[in-house]
Amino acid sequence: METGNYTSVTEFIILGLTEDSTVGATLFIVFLGIYVVTLLGNGSIILLIRSSPQLRTPMYLFLSHLAFVDVGYSSSVTPVMLRGLLGEGSSLRVAGCAAQLCSVVTFGSTECFLLAAMAYDRYVAICSPLLYSTHMSSRVCILLVVMSYVGGSLNAWIFTGCVLGL
């Protein structure tokens, strides 16, 4: 039998930005305010686009999904950070860290794919304005959105799998 160290990591200890509780509380309030504004802003964008029939165009479809991805992206990181700023729960289990990593990479990659789809939409609108409605039909737009989510998820699973393999 080989000799060596066979210990495994079960949790990560998170060292906060500061040990001072006053600074931690101040940062908590600032970041909580930013988080709430982010949620309200993106939620209102989604609600406005879904409720208005004039905004049923491909660009607004992409914008509503971009707002949804932004909510998911900020919600995957901010609650853990806020808990750490309060001094509660200064450790994170490996499974929680892996889930958070996968979530962040999923939403980040999906955002990049959605931005590429939006760029393609604008390219078609500028270069082929007369054929825009045939090139960017609702079926093509939905396909681009679905492929953005699939591509983001696939990228996250591969990335997280490679990181956990280390």
Side-chain angles (χ1 to χ4, degrees):
M1 180 171 214
E2 296 180 30
T3 60
N5 187 0
Y6 292 102
T7 59
S8 63
V9 177
T10 59
E11 65 183 14
F12 297 106
I13 298 173
I14 300 173
L15 301 175
L17 294 174
T18 181
E19 294 292 324
D20 187 12
S21 62
T22 307
V23 175
T26 305
L27 289 174
F28 175 82
I29 291 169
V30 168
F31 286 126
L32 180 64
I34 293 170
Y35 180 59
V36 168
V37 168
T38 300
L39 291 180
L40 289 175
N42 286 315
S44 63
I45 288 171
I46 293 168
L47 185 65
L48 179 67
I49 290 172
R50 297 289 182 205
S51 65
S52 177
Q54 291 88 5
L55 302 179
R56 304 282 175 168
T57 62
M59 181 53 88
Y60 289 108
L61 172 74
F62 293 135
L63 281 175
S64 67
H65 283 278
L66 194 64
F68 172 75
V69 167
D70 191 36
V71 167
Y73 190 71
S74 59
S75 295
S76 63
V77 175
T78 308
V80 175
M81 181 188 65
L82 290 175
R83 191 180 74 192
L85 285 173
L86 285 179
E88 300 173 5
S90 61
S91 66
L92 183 64
R93 295 201 139 321
V94 172
C97 184
Q100 185 176 4
L101 174 68
C102 189
S103 173
V104 167
V105 175
T106 297
F107 289 119
S109 299
T110 302
E111 185 171 356
C112 291
F113 286 126
L114 280 173
L115 288 172
M118 291 171 75
Y120 175 70
D121 174 61
R122 291 298 88 193
Y123 169 77
V124 172
I126 292 168
C127 293
S128 305
L130 298 177
L131 297 174
Y132 178 74
S133 60
T134 58
H135 286 298
M136 292 302 292
S137 65
S138 60
R139 184 176 181 186
V140 171
C141 292
I142 290 171
L143 181 67
L144 286 171
V145 168
V146 168
M147 291 309 296
S148 296
Y149 284 108
V150 169
S153 298
L154 186 64
N155 183 40
W157 293 335
I158 292 170
F159 181 80
T160 306
C162 289
V163 168
L164 291 178
L166 297 176

